[in-house]
Amino acid sequence: MRFQVRALPALCVVAAATITLSACSGGEGKSQDRSDSPKGWDVCNELFGSSRVNALQDEMGSGTLAVLNQLTPVNELLSDRASVAKSWKPGSEVHYSNTSHPCDLGIDGSNKRFNSYVSWSVDSSQSIDSGDAGEGWQSLGKGIYVKREDNNLHLTAVIPCKIKGSHKEQEPELPLKVETEVRNVPDFDTKLLSEMTAQLANKLAEGLPCTNAPDVPSVF
């Protein structure tokens, strides 16, 4: 069973009146046991897609996949991100320590982790392009940059995203930053991580929304 149930298997018989057969048997899709944090799973599934979360479980190995952080509903996450951008002005540092953790997952009883982060970048598109933001950035065109670290198990993407009502310099000076990483799973499928990062970026760009409609790829 890919998503193990915390209770003993016998409870499926004892509590048949209150627990569905699919939850005990570990069926596919929505029937998989993620009941310990329903709100959390809704957020993770909405941001990354349930099929990708299922694939992440497979890559993490045996054990119970659990939500590790206090999750924020997606609409609140988007509202908070937009609010920070609207309050920004050149020279402001309002965004420096303002990072959200949309969905952090891990295997119970192990140090295997998947972490995600969303923020407004402290580095402008110009500073990344010029090299002032450090080495390792790759341009994907149209102001989008990606950095791959730790054998491609740590991805950072920076995307130009204009927020309605923000300062006129916000788009080039305050791009959207999306970051994912996998820890302690050295053989993790890096293509899956790339897809999950791109899916998160696309979800944010659409939901904020980024009025400049950045051309975010489906895979980084």
Side-chain angles (χ1 to χ4, degrees), residues 95-126:
H95 60 299
Y96 270 54
S97 299
N98 198 292
T99 300
S100 297
H101 291 249
C103 173
D104 290 347
L105 303 171
I107 298 294
D108 277 358
S110 79
N111 58 2
K112 297 178 180 181
R113 297 290 183 264
F114 166 81
N115 298 323
S116 59
Y117 313 88
V118 175
S119 63
W120 295 104
S121 176
V122 299
D123 298 308
S124 68
S125 299
Q126 182 178 0

Side-chain angles (χ1 to χ4, degrees), residues 36-164:
D36 59 332
S37 183
K39 177 180 175 181
W41 288 119
D42 285 349
V43 171
C44 295
N45 287 339
E46 184 174 351
L47 291 174
F48 295 105
S50 60
S51 63
R52 294 185 183 89
V53 176
N54 291 346
L56 182 141
Q57 161 74 90
D58 290 341
E59 291 296 316
M60 298 285 265
S62 61
T64 302
L65 190 65
V67 177
L68 302 179
N69 61 314
Q70 183 67 39
L71 286 117
T72 302
V74 173
N75 62 330
E76 292 183 23
L77 170 69
L78 296 171
S79 177
D80 290 346
R81 292 298 92 201
S83 178
V84 171
K86 290 176 182 178
S87 66
W88 177 87
K89 292 179 174 56
S92 169
E93 297 182 357
V94 65
H95 60 299
Y96 270 54
S97 299
N98 198 292
T99 300
S100 297
H101 291 249
C103 173
D104 290 347
L105 303 171
I107 298 294
D108 277 358
S110 79
N111 58 2
K112 297 178 180 181
R113 297 290 183 264
F114 166 81
N115 298 323
S116 59
Y117 313 88
V118 175
S119 63
W120 295 104
S121 176
V122 299
D123 298 308
S124 68
S125 299
Q126 182 178 0
S127 66
I128 293 174
D129 191 49
S130 66
D132 291 341
E135 300 179 349
W137 290 100
Q138 175 190 358
S139 173
L140 301 183
K142 300 182 179 179
I144 299 176
Y145 297 85
V146 64
K147 179 186 285 189
R148 301 176 178 88
E149 302 173 277
D150 299 335
N151 295 317
N152 293 329
L153 292 178
H154 183 178
L155 299 184
T156 305
V158 170
I159 301 149
C161 174
K162 176 61 177 174
I163 297 298
K164 183 178 180 180

Side-chain angles (χ1 to χ4, degrees), residues 135-216:
E135 300 179 349
W137 290 100
Q138 175 190 358
S139 173
L140 301 183
K142 300 182 179 179
I144 299 176
Y145 297 85
V146 64
K147 179 186 285 189
R148 301 176 178 88
E149 302 173 277
D150 299 335
N151 295 317
N152 293 329
L153 292 178
H154 183 178
L155 299 184
T156 305
V158 170
I159 301 149
C161 174
K162 176 61 177 174
I163 297 298
K164 183 178 180 180
S166 67
H167 190 278
K168 63 180 181 179
E169 294 298 320
Q170 179 263 314
E171 180 181 338
E173 294 293 327
L174 198 73
L176 181 65
K177 182 178 178 181
V178 175
E179 191 172 357
T180 62
E181 64 176 345
V182 171
R183 296 180 181 177
N184 305 306
V185 191
D187 57 347
F188 191 91
D189 183 357
T190 56
K191 182 180 179 182
L192 173 61
L193 186 63
S194 177
E195 291 176 353
M196 293 183 73
T197 311
Q199 171 66 21
L200 176 59
N202 273 293
K203 183 70 179 181
L204 294 169
E206 178 182 341
L208 279 166
C210 301
T211 60
N212 57 314
D215 188 13
V216 182

